[in-house]
Amino acid sequence: MNNNNIPITPVGFITSPFKQKFAIPRQPNLAKAKGHITLTEQFNDIRVFKGLEGFSHVWVLFQFHKNSDKGWKPTVKAPRLGGNETLGVFASRSTHRPNGIGMSVLKRGGYYKHNGLVHLEVEGLDLLDGTPILDIKPYLPYADICESATDKLDDYAPIPNRQVVISEPARASLTQASMTHSDLETLIVSVLQQDPRPAYKHKLDDDPKEYRVMLYAYDIYFYVQQGTLVVTQLKAV
């Protein structure tokens, strides 16, 4: 076997409310996004999850499959440095990596079999819909929490926490949409609180440009006024 070519087979694929890369939270658990992992045929045996109910969270390793054709660079522009300064790729969580592998700690939900396929529910998603899942491991607090860990990026740009207001026209559409997706309002607020605009625009507290983010099967339009993200409309795709 050539050690320079290590085969990796996805164990499953994620179903996520995030249908586009724009506005996906930059880290897990920043938004209350729910979804599920569906195992592939090769691993479609519910016994693989035996005992997982004893763990509240799981590590999910995945592939940044939409970036695989873009390659990687030794340095990347870090959003928390304002989007202009650079960090080494191995000093960042950039999606553009040599092997395109990401990892997220997600809250574990139930696992079950439906229509012959095994599913695992997860919460706190930061994954694009259809992302290949490479591995799932239990999160171990005694080993995985590092009490003395530091993050110097907080000195540059703490994670945004914007106020979000839903306009009356958008509220009417949201009420209808929530009949299908009861968590949609919570998801909209938690996603927009992170201010998904490009990092260099975070200094603009008045930004009349109308942005659009797709969650589930809805386009959500918003702009920024006096530091508040105002949702103007929801449209079914």
Side-chain angles (χ1 to χ4, degrees), residues 154-224:
D154 266 344
D155 296 337
Y156 294 90
I159 296 170
N161 187 19
R162 296 278 192 178
Q163 182 179 357
V164 178
V165 171
I166 299 174
S167 69
E168 286 305 316
R171 173 67 62 185
S173 300
L174 178 58
T175 299
Q176 181 68 27
S178 294
M179 296 177 65
T180 303
H181 300 286
S182 61
D183 63 332
L184 183 56
E185 180 172 357
T186 299
L187 182 60
I188 291 172
V189 172
S190 61
V191 166
L192 296 188
Q193 280 179 331
Q194 313 303 318
D195 196 345
R197 295 178 299 163
Y200 70 89
K201 287 200 171 186
H202 286 179
K203 295 180 180 179
L204 299 178
D205 283 341
D206 285 291
D207 186 357
K209 176 180 177 179
E210 190 170 55
Y211 295 86
R212 174 180 59 85
V213 56
M214 185 178 180
L215 299 173
Y216 290 119
Y218 297 92
D219 280 334
I220 292 90
Y221 294 81
F222 69 93
Y223 68 96
V224 181

Side-chain angles (χ1 to χ4, degrees), residues 48-59 106-111 120 137-142 144:
V48 299
F49 292 135
K50 181 181 179 182
L52 193 62
E53 59 273 9
F55 303 92
S56 64
H57 291 71
V58 290
W59 284 105
L106 303 177
K107 184 176 181 182
R108 175 198 59 78
Y111 58 88
L120 172 66
K137 304 172 184 286
Y139 178 84
L140 306 178
Y142 82 91
D144 295 336

Side-chain angles (χ1 to χ4, degrees), residues 11-16 35-40 49 58-61 106 110-112 117-122 125 127 131-136:
V11 302
F13 292 87
I14 194 76
T15 297
S16 162
H36 62 266
I37 297 168
T38 302
L39 298 185
T40 57
F49 292 135
V58 290
W59 284 105
V60 174
L61 278 69
L106 303 177
Y111 58 88
Y112 57 93
L117 297 174
V118 177
H119 307 271
L120 172 66
E121 296 174 329
V122 287
L125 282 173
L127 305 181
T131 293
I133 304 303
L134 304 180
D135 204 356
I136 303 166

